[in-house]
């Protein structure tokens, strides 16, 4: 089963592989990553912009590599709330016919990171600056840094990958996807 992930980030590739292996025969999964644009800012803000980025990445990967069983888009985002800035990600999956989507859990960012993101810095760069790291978004990410590794970024995304696969596990049921515009 050839799966195209709309990213070359090793964390996103590992999350997609692990999620798919939990649902399907692990021996049948072959995951490849492609670099495609999200069509949204480098640091998406809010649910809609982040979900749009995941969908657009997924569709761009499908156009670039049309011969696959599944295409996966993963997009991390932030949102300002009345209580502070939160962090989350959206995962989208299609087989060209059906569509699944799920959101990760949400957590609050420290004020020092949130200020940098509000000033226009991408979350990964803000984390690196505040925590004195380099390229943390391709390693443990915010969730790993803040939990001292109790939850790493791969595990954080993996649950949402599994949840996005629910419509494929229950093809006899109808799931909402009214806002998703299938391209091509």
């Amino acid at each position: 089963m050839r799966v195209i992930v709309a990213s070359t980030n090793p964390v996103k590739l590992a999350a997609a592989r692990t999620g798919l292996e939990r649902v399907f025969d692990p021996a049948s999964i072959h995951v490849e990553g492609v670099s495609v644009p999200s069509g949204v800012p480098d640091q998406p803000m809010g649910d809609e912009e982040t979900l749009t980025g995941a969908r657009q990445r997924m569709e761009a990967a499908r156009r670039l590599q049309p011969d696959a069983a599944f295409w996966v888009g993963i997009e991390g985002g932030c949102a300002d709330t009345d209580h502070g800035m939160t962090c989350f990600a959206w995962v989208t999956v299609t087989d060209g016919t059906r569509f699944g989507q799920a959101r990760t859990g949400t957590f609050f960012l420290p004020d020092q990171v949130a200020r940098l993101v509000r000033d226009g810095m991408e979350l990964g760069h803000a984390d690196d600056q505040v925590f004195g790291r380099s390229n943390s978004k391709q390693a443990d990410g915010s969730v790993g840094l803040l939990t001292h590794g109790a939850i790493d970024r791969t595990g954080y995304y993996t649950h949402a990958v599994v949840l996005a696969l629910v419509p494929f596990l229950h093809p006899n049921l109808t799931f909402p996807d009214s806002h998703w515009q299938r391209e091509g």
Side-chain angles (χ1 to χ4, degrees):
M1 178 185 311
R2 183 171 182 237
V3 178
I4 304 298
V5 178
S7 178
T8 57
N9 183 319
V11 169
K12 293 180 180 182
L13 294 171
R17 179 180 297 104
T18 302
L20 286 153
E21 287 175 349
R22 288 184 183 171
V23 173
F24 301 110
D25 173 20
S28 71
I29 307 294
H30 174 75
V31 173
E32 300 172 35
V34 295
S35 181
V36 292
S38 68
V40 299
D42 288 342
Q43 182 53 69
M45 295 300 290
D47 262 329
E48 284 306 311
E49 193 168 79
T50 307
L51 179 55
T52 296
R55 289 175 176 163
Q56 290 179 165
R57 281 188 193 279
M58 177 191 69
E59 283 297 334
R62 191 172 84 137
R63 285 190 304 276
L64 186 64
Q65 295 286 331
D67 184 28
F70 290 101
W71 296 267
V72 178
I74 302 174
E75 188 76 18
C78 296
D80 257 321
T81 73
D82 291 341
H83 306 288
M85 183 174 283
T86 62
C87 179
F88 54 88
W90 276 97
V91 174
T92 57
V93 180
T94 189
D95 64 1
T97 302
R98 286 176 296 234
F99 173 74
Q101 60 188 359
R103 186 174 176 222
T104 63
T106 302
F107 59 94
F108 284 92
L109 295 171
D111 291 339
Q112 295 86 340
V113 173
R115 270 194 291 279
L116 294 171
V117 172
R118 284 185 195 104
D119 288 344
M121 190 177 285
E122 188 178 346
L123 177 58
H125 299 299
D127 285 336
D128 288 347
Q129 183 172 318
V130 170
F131 291 99
R133 296 284 302 275
S134 177
N135 202 21
S136 61
K137 71 181 185 176
Q138 290 198 0
D140 43 7
S142 293
V143 70
L145 292 167
L146 293 171
T147 65
H148 293 286
I151 301 173
D152 66 18
R153 195 170 181 215
T154 300
Y156 179 63
Y157 289 160
T158 297
H159 287 97
V161 171
V162 172
L163 293 169
L165 292 170
V166 166
F168 303 95
L169 299 174
H170 300 278
N172 57 322
L173 299 176
T174 304
F175 292 86
D177 67 1
S178 60
H179 298 349
W180 179 53
Q181 300 297 315
R182 290 174 179 86
E183 297 178 17

